[in-house]
Amino acid sequence: ILSIVAIGMFVAPSLAQEKAIVEDGFGAHWFIQAQAGGSYTISEDRKHASFGDLLTPHYAVSFGKFFSPLTAMRFQAAGWESKNYVELGENSGTYGIKYIQANLDGFLNLTNLFLSFREDRPFNFYAFAGIGYVHTFKKDCDCWDLSRTNSIVPRIGLQGDFRLSDNVSLNIEVAGNLMSDNFDGRVQSKK
């Protein structure tokens, strides 16, 4: 009995030891992003225009927070101009739509989901989904009166993040927004 008690005295403390976990406060793991790229709008008459005619610059500023090695969330303000093509006989041509968009996106780190977590990993691959609010301003088309629009849009995307240093990363992102039919100022049935 004494031998069992003695062994228990040596084993019990080793079983009760726990790894110390350092909790990060609310101020940890925030990030800021500045983005510049291109935007392409798929609309009713796009097949009559060249790809380059509908390609426009797109800019965004974001801030967000990592909640775990797998999840993050960001708020983003984005926009500039969208180009569309209208097929209306002699009034056919490209017109621009100035817009601003606010997005709230949730991120899932696919690299950490399938591989073990490494804080210094040089590349991480993310999937994200979110919701946005889009406001368009008066369009610059003389063919008809195009008014302002407001809409809620679902969005999804992928992001590749290249770690350049402890504080700087370069990312490449592809995102798709499901705009309402009146985003381009025209509501038209599917052809």
Side-chain angles (χ1 to χ4, degrees):
I1 290 176
L2 289 174
S3 296
I4 293 173
V5 171
I7 292 172
M9 289 174 57
F10 289 108
V11 173
S14 66
L15 294 176
Q17 291 178 2
E18 295 180 6
K19 182 178 178 183
I21 297 174
V22 177
E23 291 290 329
D24 292 326
F26 181 75
H29 307 293
W30 288 90
F31 63 89
I32 298 172
Q33 294 176 323
Q35 297 176 332
S39 177
Y40 182 80
T41 304
I42 298 171
S43 59
E44 289 91 348
D45 293 324
R46 75 185 179 284
K47 62 183 173 255
H48 301 292
S50 70
F51 181 82
D53 287 343
L54 302 181
L55 190 62
T56 57
H58 179 84
Y59 302 101
V61 175
S62 312
F63 68 91
K65 180 172 175 56
F66 287 96
F67 298 104
S68 75
L70 287 178
T71 60
M73 185 168 276
R74 78 170 175 198
F75 173 77
Q76 181 180 75
W80 189 262
E81 184 178 43
S82 169
K83 291 278 187 180
N84 288 277
Y85 185 86
V86 62
E87 185 68 34
L88 290 174
E90 63 186 48
N91 289 327
S92 297
T94 303
Y95 65 98
I97 302 166
K98 302 275 192 225
Y99 71 96
I100 190 165
Q101 182 172 347
N103 304 312
L104 185 62
D105 299 321
F107 280 78
L108 178 64
N109 186 322
L110 299 174
T111 308
N112 288 340
L113 182 64
F114 296 109
L115 301 174
S116 60
F117 170 71
R118 269 186 42 208
E119 188 173 352
D120 63 345
R121 180 174 281 123
F123 177 79
N124 282 289
F125 190 61
Y126 297 92
F128 65 89
I131 192 157
Y133 172 80
V134 180
H135 172 77
T136 61
F137 301 93
K138 188 168 176 62
K139 288 80 173 171
D140 65 1
C141 179
D142 294 331
C143 40
W144 68 88
D145 183 30
L146 298 171
S147 60
R148 296 172 180 89
T149 59
N150 295 292
S151 55
I152 304 292
V153 297
R155 48 188 273 111
I156 59 170
L158 297 170
Q159 184 183 91
D161 185 82
F162 299 90
R163 182 176 187 261
L164 302 178
S165 72
D166 287 345
N167 296 318
V168 178
S169 291
L170 174 68
N171 67 56
I172 298 172
E173 181 174 303
V174 176
N177 296 282
L178 185 59
M179 303 294 193
S180 65
D181 193 25
N182 67 349
F183 172 76
D184 63 356
R186 303 171 62 213
V187 177
Q188 196 171 339
S189 62
K190 187 175 180 181
K191 293 181 181 180

